[in-house]
């Protein structure tokens, strides 16, 4: 099935997120973060489920410190919802798939 989420870097953040025509969910995460790994599979499933309606991307904060710093990310996982280049919503910490889906649906 392939990977549903897209890996985004500081270099591609503007093009992939701010200039996206679809709403974008950005997952700021790191390899060492347990809760990040916990929500990973749910985000993959939601990305596949909402393909064409919303784009879900992942930013590794260890490799890409600029984007999270710009957005004031303090703890991870941190999820940011962008629409038309602007942050419209954000949530910090792991949540069950149902809660993530409700949050995504509230914006699209």
């Amino acid at each position: 099935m392939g990977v549903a989420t897209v890996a985004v870097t500081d270099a591609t953040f503007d093009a992939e997120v701010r200039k996206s025509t679809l709403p974008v969910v950005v997952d700021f995460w790191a390899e060492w973060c347990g809760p990040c790994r916990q929500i990973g599979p749910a985000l993959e499933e939601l990305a596949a489920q909402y393909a064409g309606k919303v784009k879900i991307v992942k930013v590794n904060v260890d490799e890409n410190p600029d984007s999270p710093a710009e957005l004031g990310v303090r703890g991870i996982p941190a999820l940011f919802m962008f629409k038309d280049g602007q942050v419209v919503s954000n949530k910090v910490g792991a949540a069950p798939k149902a809660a993530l889906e409700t949050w995504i649906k509230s914006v699209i």
Side-chain angles (χ1 to χ4, degrees):
M1 172 179 123
V3 178
T5 58
V6 181
V8 168
T9 64
D10 283 340
T12 61
F13 195 87
D14 265 4
E16 291 279 4
V17 177
R18 295 189 200 277
K19 295 189 171 76
S20 171
T21 51
L22 292 174
V24 184
V25 173
V26 183
D27 171 25
F28 290 102
W29 73 289
E31 288 289 349
W32 47 264
C33 162
C36 299
R37 290 203 304 273
Q38 227 177 322
I39 64 169
L43 289 173
E44 293 294 337
E45 287 169 27
L46 289 166
Q49 214 172 309
Y50 287 94
K53 293 193 191 82
V54 69
K55 184 159 87 171
I56 301 183
V57 306
K58 297 172 82 87
V59 176
N60 183 319
V61 297
D62 288 339
E63 294 164 11
N64 304 284
D66 298 347
S67 315
E70 244 172 69
L71 292 165
V73 173
R74 305 232 179 321
I76 54 172
L79 299 168
F80 282 75
M81 180 90 68
F82 281 80
K83 203 170 187 177
D84 303 321
Q86 302 296 318
V87 175
V88 289
S89 183
N90 70 309
K91 63 197 287 124
V92 177
K97 183 184 172 186
L100 293 171
E101 184 169 4
T102 302
W103 179 62
I104 289 169
K105 285 200 324 212
S106 74
V107 176
I108 58 173

